[in-house]
């Protein structure tokens, strides 16, 4: 085992705490399992030679939160749309290109969105 500090948004930390109490495991076990899953899903994705295609789903308070990121990553955007759902903005972006750049875009969107999901298609 190795220890290190991690800062989480308050809502995420509260959810980890709630889940750990609900299922009877430590917060560390939940965070380790989540990180392991994330790392396994992205292992080949960020290799420089990897070209990918996928869908990015982002739920945010407004399109402007995500729109400027889409503009800055235009070479990797195949298409996008956004919908208004229950007072939130759902942006659906189809991406294709260098896996590392796509990953940077997803992480940048994640800093502005309330929920972010990348679904690889190839």
């Amino acid at each position: 085992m190795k220890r290190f500090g991690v800062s989480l948004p308050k809502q995420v930390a509260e959810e980890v705490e709630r889940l750990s109490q609900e299922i009877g495991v430590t917060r560390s076990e939940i965070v380790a399992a989540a990180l392991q899953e994330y790392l396994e899903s992205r292992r080949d994705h960020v290799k420089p030679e990897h070209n990918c295609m996928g869908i990015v789903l982002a739920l945010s308070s407004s399109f402007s939160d995500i729109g400027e990121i889409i503009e800055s990553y235009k070479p990797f955007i195949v298409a996008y749309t956004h919908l208004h759902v229950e007072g939130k903005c759902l942006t659906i972006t189809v991406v294709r290109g260098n896996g590392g750049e796509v990953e940077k875009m997803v992480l940048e969107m994640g800093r502005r969105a309330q929920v972010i999901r990348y679904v690889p298609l190839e």
Side-chain angles (χ1 to χ4, degrees), residues 43-103:
R43 185 166 285 126
D44 293 329
H45 182 69
V46 296
K47 290 181 179 173
E49 69 278 359
H50 177 71
N51 280 305
C52 63
M53 181 170 75
I55 299 169
V56 181
L57 304 169
L59 187 65
S60 60
S61 56
S62 75
F63 179 71
S64 63
D65 293 339
I66 302 300
E68 63 185 58
I69 296 170
I70 289 173
E71 280 299 312
S72 65
Y73 285 91
K74 224 171 192 167
F76 306 103
I77 307 296
V78 174
Y80 70 89
T81 190
H82 77 277
L83 311 161
H84 297 276
V85 181
E86 297 179 8
K88 306 248 181 188
C89 184
L90 174 62
T91 304
I92 304 165
T93 309
V94 179
V95 296
R96 181 176 199 77
N98 177 279
E101 289 299 314
V102 169
E103 184 68 10

Side-chain angles (χ1 to χ4, degrees), residues 12-22 25 27 30:
V12 173
E14 289 170 353
E15 188 67 19
V16 169
E17 181 69 33
R18 184 196 62 73
L19 185 59
S20 75
Q21 291 174 0
E22 191 174 287
V25 298
R27 293 177 302 212
I30 290 172

